Amino acid sequence: MIEALLDYEFIRYSFISGIVAGLIAPLIGTFIVIRRLSLIADALSHVTLGGIAFGVYLSTLFTFTINPLITGIIFSILGALGIERLRSVYKHYQELAIPIIMSLGIAVGIVFLSLANGFNQDLFGYLFGSISAVSMNDLILIVSIGIIVILFIFLLYKELFMVSFDEEYANVMNVNRWIYIAFIIVVALVISASMRIVGILMVSALMTLPVASAMRITSSFKQLMILSVIFGETAVISGLFLSYHLNISPGGTIVLVSILILMGTIILNKLGVSRNGGRNEEVPGQTQG
Amino acid sequence: MAEPVFEIKDISYTYKDKLEHTPALKNINLKIDKGDFVALVGPNGSGKTTLIKLILGVLKPQQGEIYINGQSSRRYKAGQEIGYVSQKSNSFAKGFPASVSEVVMSGLTKQKGLFKRFTKKDRDRLDEVLGMLDIGHLKDKNISSLSGGQTQRVFIARALVNDPSILVLDEPTVGIDNRHVKEFYEVLLKLKERSVTILLVTHDIGVVVDNADEVACLNEHLHFHGTNHEFKNLGEAELSKIYGFPLQLVSHDHDRECCI
Ligand SMILES: Nc1ncnc2c1ncn2[C@@H]1O[C@H](COP(=O)(O)OP(=O)(O)OP(=O)(O)O)[C@@H](O)[C@H]1O
Ligand SMILES: [Mg+2]
């Protein structure tokens, strides 16, 4: 693959997008997991599918093509705002927002796909990830999103930590409410950026599996973020190599490597390498995603 | 004349669910001046936590007004001036992957302001507060690996780290051993000397009588509000009326006895 990286532009593009996804997905994933929003990431990725189908459909209507990634981003941001809204409508049943938005996303996707006359190779790439489909335009979008996400987390780390750890206290201390909306929009952006490589169906796995693994062996939040990124990058890089050499779609290989890492940490944990005294049976979020 | 920090005017509050309406507070009037140490007492379910949440702006008043430093709680939140220990703080810390120092540091979030990062000075302040509560040795431990009382002290530290001028404490000493409770009240009295306003909910009447300046007894209505001496002299009959069951006040000077 090293030669391919040097020789083929499209492999380079995929590789760089993969590295970006392996960084930002687990980073934002730490906040998603501890805020118990793992399933929301899943719902949003299905809304992104609706947006992509819409983009594909629009392109069949007009003579020019519209990058479906852009309609995907727009849809997932709208979906994110919808989820926030529904979560405040169903205060005591916040998880209801998930099936509502998820089924809406899939329904919209199916309708536009049938209108656009079906299921082509492109779409297969969006669903399961693709190592050959990242265009220059995609790459620019993905890298820009990467920069936005990292700035967001770097600049608002304190506030994000606070609202994740103790929402009521954040409210008492008067931490700005818009941070919730900004957060969910950033989640939508991360999904769109990671989807090209990992695929819609497995995006939420890249956000949650590395975190679930890291949780078992860390004792501080900073450590959790760092370790999640290391696990995420390991999964993405080795997954891309496997995918290239075995000629299979990268989404599956990346997620399978993540699962292997997770199993490894569970075993390490059982052997007593954990830093937090083996108390992590109660760790939240592990069963989600 | 000291200026009032909190002014509660004719507040009523009812929890409204689809199925039932639970009245929690009725026509409460209460004024707390700057530098006062006020204890709020009353039986379980008497509305103490509800009143505190209204004061902090977590709940919006349905009737009446609350003024904080002269401004209505509907529009104004004290934010960084406040140190708050909530009644349930202990329960959600379980399983959270954060260290003690990260949790305590988060108390400085509002004071630092957006986009700012913690500095050496903040970390020094952190060490000072951890020392004050005797949890310095737990600094790098995972919050979910602590005991109940230790966790509670971590939350007290978070409330104190931003050097608040108003402290609102909802049963802060639950689960804390006698020695550390004693130390905690010493810390409170020191803060009081620096004219920090303290509103404390507790069931430990002995402590109230010994330390607080004023006592407010709540049970849906505000049944009593006066100095701790007046409270001490309340007859058994009056106390029993508030609590709804026979009760007598036991307070020895040295041996703090809990009677509720
Ligand atoms: N979220 C809620 N929804 C509905 N009713 C509530 C809610 N919180 C409290 N209540 C009701 O309001 C009343 C006052 O509750 P509150 O929590 O203020 O009591 P408290 O004085 O703090 O009691 P405790 O000493 O047990 O902490 C109770 O009757 C309680 O059942
Ligand atoms: Mg209470």
Side-chain angles (χ1 to χ4, degrees), chain A residues 154 158 166 171 174 221 284, chain B residues 77 102 110 113 116-117:
Chain A
F154 183 78
K158 304 195 281 343
D166 187 347
N171 185 4
N174 210 4
F221 196 75
Chain B
K77 270 195 195 157
E102 285 175 320
K110 189 64 190 179
K116 299 264 173 43
R117 301 182 73 77

Side-chain angles (χ1 to χ4, degrees), chain A residues 34 36 92 153-159 161-162 164-166 168-169 171-179 215 218-224 275-277 279 282-284, chain B residues 53 56 58 77 79-80 82 84 86 88 92-99 102-103 106-107 109-110 112-118 140-142 144-146 155 158-159 162:
Chain A
I34 60 169
R36 296 165 196 255
H92 298 288
I153 292 177
F154 183 78
L155 291 175
L156 294 171
Y157 175 76
K158 304 195 281 343
E159 284 77 11
F161 178 84
M162 196 173 193
S164 309
F165 181 65
D166 187 347
E168 186 190 82
Y169 195 68
N171 185 4
V172 168
M173 296 299 276
N174 210 4
V175 168
N176 299 40
R177 303 296 296 172
W178 56 256
I179 203 161
M215 254 177 166
T218 56
S219 59
S220 82
F221 196 75
K222 283 239 165 73
Q223 270 179 25
L224 177 71
R275 294 279 309 273
N276 52 4
R279 284 235 184 185
E282 314 166 58
V283 164
Chain B
K53 288 188 171 166
L56 294 172
V58 176
K77 270 195 195 157
Q80 56 175 319
I82 294 222
Y84 170 50
S86 82
K88 63 161 180 34
F92 63 82
K94 286 285 163 244
F96 196 95
S99 66
E102 285 175 320
V103 170
S106 74
T109 302
K110 189 64 190 179
K112 291 296 290 180
L114 280 179
F115 309 133
K116 299 264 173 43
R117 301 182 73 77
F118 295 126
D140 297 318
K141 279 209 142 197
N142 188 319
S144 38
S145 68
L146 303 187
F155 284 103
R158 181 181 67 171
N162 61 340

Side-chain angles (χ1 to χ4, degrees), chain B residues 5-260:
Chain B
V5 171
F6 295 124
E7 223 179 330
I8 297 160
K9 283 194 173 157
D10 200 31
I11 281 286
S12 298
Y13 194 88
T14 302
Y15 286 98
K16 289 185 179 128
D17 253 334
K18 277 190 202 80
L19 300 176
E20 37 179 345
H21 287 197
T22 322
L25 295 172
K26 280 188 186 144
N27 307 99
I28 308 291
N29 285 289
L30 183 65
K31 212 169 85 184
I32 298 176
D33 286 333
K34 185 166 167 51
D36 276 356
F37 183 162
V38 180
L40 188 59
V41 300
N44 291 142
S46 57
K48 304 182 296 295
T49 300
T50 307
L51 186 60
I52 280 195
K53 288 188 171 166
L54 284 161
I55 288 176
L56 294 172
V58 176
L59 297 173
K60 296 280 169 246
Q62 295 158 341
Q63 185 207 308
E65 279 292 333
I66 294 177
Y67 297 95
I68 303 153
N69 293 327
Q71 304 199 54
S72 166
S73 71
R74 291 172 202 275
R75 284 180 302 277
Y76 171 78
K77 270 195 195 157
Q80 56 175 319
E81 293 164 60
I82 294 222
Y84 170 50
V85 177
S86 82
Q87 188 172 9
K88 63 161 180 34
S89 40
N90 222 320
S91 58
F92 63 82
K94 286 285 163 244
F96 196 95
S99 66
V100 167
S101 53
E102 285 175 320
V103 170
V104 176
M105 270 309 229
S106 74
L108 286 171
T109 302
K110 189 64 190 179
Q111 198 183 55
K112 291 296 290 180
L114 280 179
F115 309 133
K116 299 264 173 43
R117 301 182 73 77
F118 295 126
T119 57
K120 171 86 172 54
K121 197 171 134 255
D122 302 323
R123 278 185 286 275
D124 290 345
R125 172 68 187 151
L126 169 76
D127 289 336
E128 190 186 335
V129 172
L130 293 181
M132 224 149 80
L133 288 151
D134 195 18
I135 47 176
H137 59 293
L138 302 174
K139 193 174 169 187
D140 297 318
K141 279 209 142 197
N142 188 319
I143 180 97
S144 38
S145 68
L146 303 187
S147 76
Q150 288 171 333
T151 314
Q152 199 61 29
R153 274 145 66 200
V154 170
F155 284 103
I156 295 172
R158 181 181 67 171
L160 295 181
V161 74
N162 61 340
D163 212 356
S165 59
I166 305 169
L167 262 180
V168 179
L169 308 162
D170 198 348
E171 299 188 37
T173 54
V174 169
I176 299 184
D177 62 49
N178 285 337
R179 177 168 72 90
H180 289 107
V181 167
K182 199 157 162 284
E183 284 176 15
F184 168 67
Y185 284 107
E186 281 160 15
V187 170
L188 283 193
L189 291 177
K190 257 187 244 152
L191 290 172
K192 193 183 121 55
E193 279 166 24
R194 289 170 25 206
S195 67
V196 173
T197 311
I198 303 171
L199 178 58
L200 169 77
V201 172
T202 180
H203 291 291
D204 194 343
I205 299 294
V207 156
V208 166
V209 172
D210 290 347
N211 297 305
D213 309 321
E214 288 176 25
V215 181
C217 294
L218 199 66
N219 197 353
E220 243 180 88
H221 297 274
L222 187 67
H223 286 271
F224 170 83
H225 178 211
T227 66
N228 61 341
H229 298 293
E230 288 166 355
F231 178 72
K232 222 183 319 194
N233 297 331
L234 278 184
E236 239 173 73
E238 280 154 299
L239 270 176
S240 305
K241 202 181 99 206
I242 297 166
Y243 277 87
F245 50 84
L247 184 87
Q248 70 192 75
L249 197 58
V250 196
S251 168
H252 316 286
D253 275 338
H254 297 291
D255 174 8
R256 293 193 173 112
E257 193 116 8
C258 172
C259 67
I260 290 153

Side-chain angles (χ1 to χ4, degrees), chain A residues 28 32 40-41 44-45 47-48 69 72-81 145 149 181-195 203 207:
Chain A
I28 205 79
I32 293 178
I40 284 184
L44 278 183
S45 59
V47 174
T48 314
L69 203 52
I73 292 172
I74 295 171
F75 269 54
S76 75
I77 289 176
L78 291 177
L81 296 176
I145 289 178
V149 173
I181 294 181
F183 177 80
I184 198 100
I185 289 175
V186 166
V187 172
L189 289 177
V190 171
I191 288 171
S192 313
S194 314
M195 170 199 73
V203 159
M207 295 174 135

